[in-house]
Amino acid sequence: MQKKFQKFRMASIQPTNNKHIKARVLTTSGMLAAAIMMTGCSPTEGTQNEAENNANGETQDVNLLNVSYDVSRDFYKEYNALFSTDYQKAHPNSKVNINQSHGGSSKQALSVANGLQADVVTFNQESDMNLLVEKGLVASDWQQALPNNAVPYTSTMVLLVRAGNPKNIQDWSDLARNDIDVVTPNPKTSGTARYAFLGAYGYGLHQFKENSSDNPVKTNDFIKKLLANVVTYDNGARAATTSFTQRGLGDVLITTENEANLAAQQFAMGQVDIVYPSYTITIANPVAVVTAVTDKAGKTEAASAYLKGLWDKPAQELMAKMYMRPSDEQILAAHKDTLPDIETFEPVAVFGPWAEIMDTFFVDGGRFDQLASTK
């Protein structure tokens, strides 16, 4: 397949700090709160009471906390404003405020599992969602609650190189060369980093005409050389972007398509180019309501509306604008100039279910540890 190479202009901004903020519902009606506590109203009944309050001119502010992976922050910052405006039009006497918490996807999932009061979670890996299902925080049928198995958009892994591509990096195979320094997040804390590892591994299996049921000797050798070139393992993808664009580490950053484009457009003007590998991985970005939190607080209706809005055309257009690949095929096709056709593979099709992927590659002592330790 012919290699794709794109160069972009950029402007500089500073990444935002990650803060965990507890969400809560604030209501001006003490009688409503007391009624819910005394009668044990269901979330549906709470919504009916809210409608009655709205009809009486009373107001209700709802605070939602979206706990997400780190390179999604720019999209959700814009989507939050879009949703809040639309929600208030539909609920004139209500106002929704959305707080954000961002970090490595798996680190964020652990924070929610350990008590962070997320109302919704928007991750980049199914296994992180499965952890919350096991903890009883997210409903087991979360994938059926929303369209497209609760994946509003996808992304893929690309290579971000220095302006002019001085090392002539064209594909995954170049990352194993002796003269290349690689920057990538840590697969133990970052879903993006797992996709980076699996993207390279899947390329190796494809390139060497082997599959996961064989003994992938050539692929393992390729990955050993690539990992030996890694100069830093940051906790999350945005931190890795900072290491590459601001600290000047490495010759190439392995990152998501949307993060690479945002870096090329905003973080490092005139300093980076994007290289599309010949064969790379599809990244699914699942979302779910943390019903164990929202049901108790009477926020399930607002939280569900927040996620359902991701499939509305304005949100899907915003995704494409932010270099995410929307699930709406017509909108995706309309943005082929910035989201080009590429050859990708689904991780579960190559490596099996996510539980198997985690057990094979990313548990302590798994294949990643085995190959990374051989330097």
Side-chain angles (χ1 to χ4, degrees), residues 197-241:
F197 178 90
L198 295 173
Y201 205 99
Y203 166 84
L205 294 174
H206 179 74
Q207 184 75 7
F208 302 123
K209 307 299 181 184
E210 298 187 22
N211 58 60
S212 57
S213 64
D214 295 328
N215 181 17
V217 176
K218 291 182 179 179
T219 298
N220 284 344
D221 184 60
F222 159 63
I223 297 296
K224 283 180 186 178
K225 291 177 180 177
L226 188 159
L227 295 179
N229 289 337
V230 174
V231 295
T232 180
Y233 286 110
D234 291 293
N235 284 335
R238 182 55 57 86
T241 301

Short mmCIF file of all heavy atoms in Angstrom, two decimals, residues 197-241:
data_model
loop_
_atom_site.label_atom_id
_atom_site.label_comp_id
_atom_site.label_asym_id
_atom_site.label_seq_id
_atom_site.Cartn_x
_atom_site.Cartn_y
_atom_site.Cartn_z
N PHE A 197 1.27 -0.38 21.10
CA PHE A 197 1.96 -1.67 21.12
C PHE A 197 1.27 -2.67 20.20
O PHE A 197 1.92 -3.34 19.38
CB PHE A 197 1.98 -2.21 22.56
CG PHE A 197 2.62 -3.56 22.70
CD1 PHE A 197 3.98 -3.68 22.94
CD2 PHE A 197 1.87 -4.72 22.59
CE1 PHE A 197 4.57 -4.93 23.07
CE2 PHE A 197 2.44 -5.97 22.70
CZ PHE A 197 3.81 -6.08 22.95
N LEU A 198 -0.06 -2.77 20.30
CA LEU A 198 -0.80 -3.73 19.48
C LEU A 198 -0.76 -3.35 18.00
O LEU A 198 -0.74 -4.23 17.13
CB LEU A 198 -2.24 -3.82 19.95
CG LEU A 198 -2.45 -4.39 21.36
CD1 LEU A 198 -3.92 -4.26 21.78
CD2 LEU A 198 -2.00 -5.84 21.46
N GLY A 199 -0.73 -2.05 17.71
CA GLY A 199 -0.62 -1.61 16.33
C GLY A 199 0.68 -2.07 15.71
O GLY A 199 0.71 -2.60 14.58
N ALA A 200 1.77 -1.89 16.45
CA ALA A 200 3.08 -2.34 15.96
C ALA A 200 3.13 -3.86 15.87
O ALA A 200 3.66 -4.43 14.90
CB ALA A 200 4.18 -1.82 16.88
N TYR A 201 2.57 -4.54 16.87
CA TYR A 201 2.60 -6.01 16.88
C TYR A 201 1.75 -6.57 15.74
O TYR A 201 2.17 -7.52 15.04
CB TYR A 201 2.09 -6.53 18.23
CG TYR A 201 2.61 -7.90 18.59
CD1 TYR A 201 3.69 -8.04 19.46
CD2 TYR A 201 2.02 -9.04 18.07
CE1 TYR A 201 4.17 -9.30 19.80
CE2 TYR A 201 2.49 -10.29 18.39
CZ TYR A 201 3.56 -10.42 19.26
OH TYR A 201 4.05 -11.66 19.57
N GLY A 202 0.57 -5.99 15.53
CA GLY A 202 -0.28 -6.44 14.44
C GLY A 202 0.37 -6.21 13.08
O GLY A 202 0.25 -7.04 12.18
N TYR A 203 1.08 -5.10 12.95
CA TYR A 203 1.83 -4.83 11.72
C TYR A 203 2.89 -5.92 11.52
O TYR A 203 3.07 -6.42 10.40
CB TYR A 203 2.49 -3.46 11.79
CG TYR A 203 3.55 -3.24 10.73
CD1 TYR A 203 3.20 -2.82 9.46
CD2 TYR A 203 4.90 -3.46 11.02
CE1 TYR A 203 4.17 -2.62 8.48
CE2 TYR A 203 5.88 -3.26 10.06
CZ TYR A 203 5.51 -2.84 8.79
OH TYR A 203 6.48 -2.67 7.83
N GLY A 204 3.57 -6.28 12.60
CA GLY A 204 4.60 -7.31 12.49
C GLY A 204 4.03 -8.64 12.03
O GLY A 204 4.57 -9.29 11.14
N LEU A 205 2.90 -9.04 12.64
CA LEU A 205 2.27 -10.29 12.23
C LEU A 205 1.85 -10.24 10.76
O LEU A 205 1.98 -11.22 10.02
CB LEU A 205 1.04 -10.57 13.10
CG LEU A 205 1.29 -10.85 14.59
CD1 LEU A 205 -0.03 -10.96 15.33
CD2 LEU A 205 2.12 -12.11 14.77
N HIS A 206 1.33 -9.10 10.34
CA HIS A 206 0.91 -8.92 8.95
C HIS A 206 2.11 -8.91 8.01
O HIS A 206 2.09 -9.54 6.94
CB HIS A 206 0.13 -7.62 8.84
CG HIS A 206 -0.36 -7.29 7.48
ND1 HIS A 206 -1.42 -7.94 6.88
CD2 HIS A 206 0.07 -6.37 6.57
CE1 HIS A 206 -1.63 -7.43 5.69
NE2 HIS A 206 -0.74 -6.48 5.46
N GLN A 207 3.15 -8.22 8.41
CA GLN A 207 4.33 -8.08 7.56
C GLN A 207 5.07 -9.39 7.40
O GLN A 207 5.56 -9.72 6.31
CB GLN A 207 5.27 -7.03 8.18
CG GLN A 207 6.50 -6.70 7.35
CD GLN A 207 6.17 -5.82 6.15
OE1 GLN A 207 5.04 -5.36 6.02
NE2 GLN A 207 7.13 -5.62 5.27
N PHE A 208 5.15 -10.15 8.46
CA PHE A 208 5.90 -11.40 8.43
C PHE A 208 5.02 -12.62 8.13
O PHE A 208 5.44 -13.76 8.28
CB PHE A 208 6.66 -11.60 9.75
CG PHE A 208 7.60 -10.47 10.05
CD1 PHE A 208 7.50 -9.75 11.23
CD2 PHE A 208 8.59 -10.11 9.15
CE1 PHE A 208 8.37 -8.71 11.53
CE2 PHE A 208 9.47 -9.06 9.43
CZ PHE A 208 9.35 -8.37 10.61
N LYS A 209 3.78 -12.36 7.75
CA LYS A 209 2.86 -13.41 7.32
C LYS A 209 2.67 -14.50 8.37
O LYS A 209 2.59 -15.68 8.06
CB LYS A 209 3.33 -14.05 6.00
CG LYS A 209 3.59 -13.05 4.89
CD LYS A 209 2.32 -12.27 4.55
CE LYS A 209 2.60 -11.28 3.42
NZ LYS A 209 1.44 -10.43 3.12
N GLU A 210 2.64 -14.07 9.61
CA GLU A 210 2.37 -15.01 10.70
C GLU A 210 1.09 -14.59 11.37
O GLU A 210 0.54 -13.51 11.11
CB GLU A 210 3.52 -15.00 11.71
CG GLU A 210 4.85 -15.46 11.11
CD GLU A 210 5.93 -15.60 12.18
OE1 GLU A 210 5.56 -15.75 13.34
OE2 GLU A 210 7.10 -15.56 11.84
N ASN A 211 0.57 -15.40 12.26
CA ASN A 211 -0.61 -15.01 13.01
C ASN A 211 -0.41 -15.37 14.48
O ASN A 211 0.58 -16.00 14.86
CB ASN A 211 -1.88 -15.66 12.44
CG ASN A 211 -1.78 -17.18 12.43
OD1 ASN A 211 -1.63 -17.79 13.49
ND2 ASN A 211 -1.86 -17.80 11.26
N SER A 212 -1.37 -14.93 15.31
CA SER A 212 -1.20 -15.06 16.75
C SER A 212 -1.16 -16.49 17.24
O SER A 212 -0.75 -16.74 18.37
CB SER A 212 -2.33 -14.30 17.46
OG SER A 212 -3.58 -14.77 17.05
N SER A 213 -1.59 -17.46 16.43
CA SER A 213 -1.54 -18.86 16.86
C SER A 213 -0.16 -19.48 16.60
O SER A 213 0.14 -20.56 17.11
CB SER A 213 -2.62 -19.67 16.13
OG SER A 213 -2.36 -19.71 14.74
N ASP A 214 0.67 -18.82 15.80
CA ASP A 214 2.02 -19.31 15.54
C ASP A 214 2.98 -18.76 16.57
O ASP A 214 2.65 -17.92 17.40
CB ASP A 214 2.49 -18.87 14.14
CG ASP A 214 1.64 -19.50 13.05
OD1 ASP A 214 1.17 -20.63 13.25
OD2 ASP A 214 1.44 -18.85 12.01
N ASN A 215 4.23 -19.21 16.49
CA ASN A 215 5.28 -18.65 17.32
C ASN A 215 5.85 -17.45 16.56
O ASN A 215 6.62 -17.61 15.62
CB ASN A 215 6.37 -19.70 17.57
CG ASN A 215 7.47 -19.16 18.46
OD1 ASN A 215 7.29 -18.14 19.12
ND2 ASN A 215 8.61 -19.82 18.46
N PRO A 216 5.46 -16.21 16.96
CA PRO A 216 5.81 -15.04 16.16
C PRO A 216 7.25 -14.58 16.42
O PRO A 216 7.49 -13.50 16.95
CB PRO A 216 4.79 -14.00 16.62
CG PRO A 216 4.52 -14.37 18.03
CD PRO A 216 4.65 -15.87 18.13
N VAL A 217 8.22 -15.37 16.02
CA VAL A 217 9.62 -15.08 16.32
C VAL A 217 10.05 -13.76 15.70
O VAL A 217 10.63 -12.89 16.37
CB VAL A 217 10.52 -16.23 15.83
CG1 VAL A 217 11.99 -15.89 16.05
CG2 VAL A 217 10.16 -17.52 16.55
N LYS A 218 9.75 -13.58 14.41
CA LYS A 218 10.19 -12.35 13.74
C LYS A 218 9.48 -11.12 14.31
O LYS A 218 10.08 -10.06 14.46
CB LYS A 218 9.94 -12.46 12.24
CG LYS A 218 10.84 -13.47 11.54
CD LYS A 218 10.58 -13.48 10.04
CE LYS A 218 11.51 -14.46 9.33
NZ LYS A 218 11.24 -14.49 7.86
N THR A 219 8.21 -11.30 14.63
CA THR A 219 7.46 -10.18 15.20
C THR A 219 8.01 -9.81 16.57
O THR A 219 8.20 -8.63 16.89
CB THR A 219 5.97 -10.52 15.31
OG1 THR A 219 5.45 -10.74 14.00
CG2 THR A 219 5.19 -9.40 15.97
N ASN A 220 8.28 -10.81 17.41
CA ASN A 220 8.84 -10.53 18.72
C ASN A 220 10.19 -9.84 18.61
O ASN A 220 10.51 -8.92 19.38
CB ASN A 220 8.97 -11.82 19.53
CG ASN A 220 7.64 -12.31 20.07
OD1 ASN A 220 6.66 -11.56 20.11
ND2 ASN A 220 7.57 -13.57 20.46
N ASP A 221 10.99 -10.27 17.67
CA ASP A 221 12.30 -9.64 17.47
C ASP A 221 12.13 -8.19 17.04
O ASP A 221 12.85 -7.30 17.53
CB ASP A 221 13.10 -10.42 16.43
CG ASP A 221 14.50 -9.87 16.24
OD1 ASP A 221 15.27 -9.85 17.23
OD2 ASP A 221 14.84 -9.44 15.11
N PHE A 222 11.18 -7.93 16.16
CA PHE A 222 10.89 -6.57 15.71
C PHE A 222 10.44 -5.70 16.88
O PHE A 222 10.91 -4.56 17.07
CB PHE A 222 9.82 -6.62 14.61
CG PHE A 222 9.06 -5.35 14.40
CD1 PHE A 222 9.70 -4.19 13.99
CD2 PHE A 222 7.68 -5.30 14.61
CE1 PHE A 222 9.00 -3.01 13.79
CE2 PHE A 222 6.97 -4.14 14.40
CZ PHE A 222 7.63 -2.98 14.00
N ILE A 223 9.53 -6.22 17.71
CA ILE A 223 9.02 -5.44 18.84
C ILE A 223 10.11 -5.21 19.88
O ILE A 223 10.19 -4.12 20.48
CB ILE A 223 7.80 -6.14 19.48
CG1 ILE A 223 6.65 -6.21 18.46
CG2 ILE A 223 7.36 -5.41 20.73
CD1 ILE A 223 6.11 -4.86 18.02
N LYS A 224 10.97 -6.19 20.11
CA LYS A 224 12.09 -5.99 21.03
C LYS A 224 12.95 -4.81 20.60
O LYS A 224 13.34 -3.96 21.42
CB LYS A 224 12.97 -7.25 21.08
CG LYS A 224 12.42 -8.39 21.88
CD LYS A 224 13.40 -9.57 21.84
CE LYS A 224 12.84 -10.80 22.50
NZ LYS A 224 13.79 -11.95 22.42
N LYS A 225 13.25 -4.74 19.33
CA LYS A 225 14.09 -3.65 18.81
C LYS A 225 13.37 -2.31 18.94
O LYS A 225 13.97 -1.30 19.30
CB LYS A 225 14.46 -3.93 17.36
CG LYS A 225 15.41 -5.11 17.18
CD LYS A 225 15.69 -5.38 15.71
CE LYS A 225 16.63 -6.56 15.52
NZ LYS A 225 16.85 -6.87 14.09
N LEU A 226 12.07 -2.30 18.65
CA LEU A 226 11.29 -1.07 18.77
C LEU A 226 11.28 -0.59 20.21
O LEU A 226 11.53 0.59 20.49
CB LEU A 226 9.88 -1.30 18.25
CG LEU A 226 8.95 -0.10 18.10
CD1 LEU A 226 7.81 -0.42 17.12
CD2 LEU A 226 8.34 0.35 19.42
N LEU A 227 10.97 -1.48 21.14
CA LEU A 227 10.89 -1.09 22.54
C LEU A 227 12.25 -0.68 23.11
O LEU A 227 12.34 0.15 24.02
CB LEU A 227 10.29 -2.23 23.37
CG LEU A 227 8.83 -2.59 23.05
CD1 LEU A 227 8.37 -3.75 23.92
CD2 LEU A 227 7.91 -1.38 23.21
N ALA A 228 13.29 -1.26 22.57
CA ALA A 228 14.64 -0.87 23.01
C ALA A 228 14.95 0.58 22.63
O ALA A 228 15.83 1.21 23.22
CB ALA A 228 15.69 -1.80 22.40
N ASN A 229 14.21 1.11 21.65
CA ASN A 229 14.42 2.49 21.21
C ASN A 229 13.59 3.50 21.97
O ASN A 229 13.72 4.71 21.75
CB ASN A 229 14.10 2.61 19.72
CG ASN A 229 15.13 1.92 18.84
OD1 ASN A 229 16.27 1.72 19.24
ND2 ASN A 229 14.73 1.57 17.61
N VAL A 230 12.69 3.04 22.86
CA VAL A 230 11.82 3.95 23.61
C VAL A 230 12.65 4.72 24.63
O VAL A 230 13.35 4.12 25.45
CB VAL A 230 10.68 3.18 24.29
CG1 VAL A 230 9.87 4.11 25.19
CG2 VAL A 230 9.77 2.54 23.24
N VAL A 231 12.56 6.04 24.60
CA VAL A 231 13.35 6.88 25.51
C VAL A 231 12.56 7.32 26.72
O VAL A 231 13.14 7.78 27.71
CB VAL A 231 13.92 8.10 24.77
CG1 VAL A 231 14.92 7.65 23.72
CG2 VAL A 231 12.81 8.94 24.13
N THR A 232 11.22 7.22 26.67
CA THR A 232 10.41 7.57 27.83
C THR A 232 9.04 6.90 27.73
O THR A 232 8.48 6.79 26.63
CB THR A 232 10.21 9.09 27.97
OG1 THR A 232 9.40 9.38 29.13
CG2 THR A 232 9.55 9.69 26.75
N TYR A 233 8.53 6.41 28.86
CA TYR A 233 7.17 5.88 28.96
C TYR A 233 6.36 6.83 29.85
O TYR A 233 6.46 6.75 31.08
CB TYR A 233 7.15 4.48 29.56
CG TYR A 233 7.63 3.37 28.66
CD1 TYR A 233 8.83 2.71 28.90
CD2 TYR A 233 6.87 2.96 27.57
CE1 TYR A 233 9.27 1.68 28.09
CE2 TYR A 233 7.31 1.92 26.74
CZ TYR A 233 8.49 1.30 27.01
OH TYR A 233 8.93 0.27 26.19
N ASP A 234 5.60 7.72 29.27
CA ASP A 234 4.78 8.63 30.06
C ASP A 234 3.49 7.95 30.50
O ASP A 234 3.05 6.97 29.90
CB ASP A 234 4.47 9.89 29.25
CG ASP A 234 5.69 10.75 29.03
OD1 ASP A 234 6.21 11.30 30.02
OD2 ASP A 234 6.14 10.86 27.87
N ASN A 235 2.84 8.52 31.54
CA ASN A 235 1.63 7.90 32.07
C ASN A 235 0.45 7.95 31.11
O ASN A 235 -0.42 7.09 31.14
CB ASN A 235 1.23 8.58 33.39
CG ASN A 235 2.10 8.14 34.54
OD1 ASN A 235 2.66 7.05 34.51
ND2 ASN A 235 2.23 8.99 35.56
N GLY A 236 0.40 8.97 30.25
CA GLY A 236 -0.71 9.12 29.33
C GLY A 236 -0.27 9.71 28.02
O GLY A 236 0.87 10.18 27.86
N ALA A 237 -1.19 9.72 27.06
CA ALA A 237 -0.85 10.16 25.70
C ALA A 237 -0.53 11.65 25.65
O ALA A 237 0.37 12.07 24.92
CB ALA A 237 -2.00 9.83 24.75
N ARG A 238 -1.26 12.49 26.41
CA ARG A 238 -0.97 13.92 26.38
C ARG A 238 0.40 14.22 26.99
O ARG A 238 1.13 15.09 26.50
CB ARG A 238 -2.08 14.70 27.09
CG ARG A 238 -1.92 16.22 27.08
CD ARG A 238 -1.77 16.81 25.69
NE ARG A 238 -2.86 16.51 24.79
CZ ARG A 238 -4.00 17.22 24.71
NH1 ARG A 238 -4.19 18.26 25.50
NH2 ARG A 238 -4.92 16.88 23.81
N ALA A 239 0.76 13.49 28.02
CA ALA A 239 2.10 13.67 28.60
C ALA A 239 3.17 13.28 27.61
O ALA A 239 4.23 13.91 27.53
CB ALA A 239 2.23 12.86 29.88
N ALA A 240 2.91 12.22 26.83
CA ALA A 240 3.87 11.81 25.80
C ALA A 240 3.99 12.87 24.72
O ALA A 240 5.09 13.13 24.21
CB ALA A 240 3.45 10.47 25.20
N THR A 241 2.86 13.49 24.35
CA THR A 241 2.90 14.59 23.38
C THR A 241 3.75 15.73 23.90
O THR A 241 4.55 16.32 23.15
CB THR A 241 1.47 15.10 23.08
OG1 THR A 241 0.69 14.03 22.58
CG2 THR A 241 1.50 16.22 22.07
#
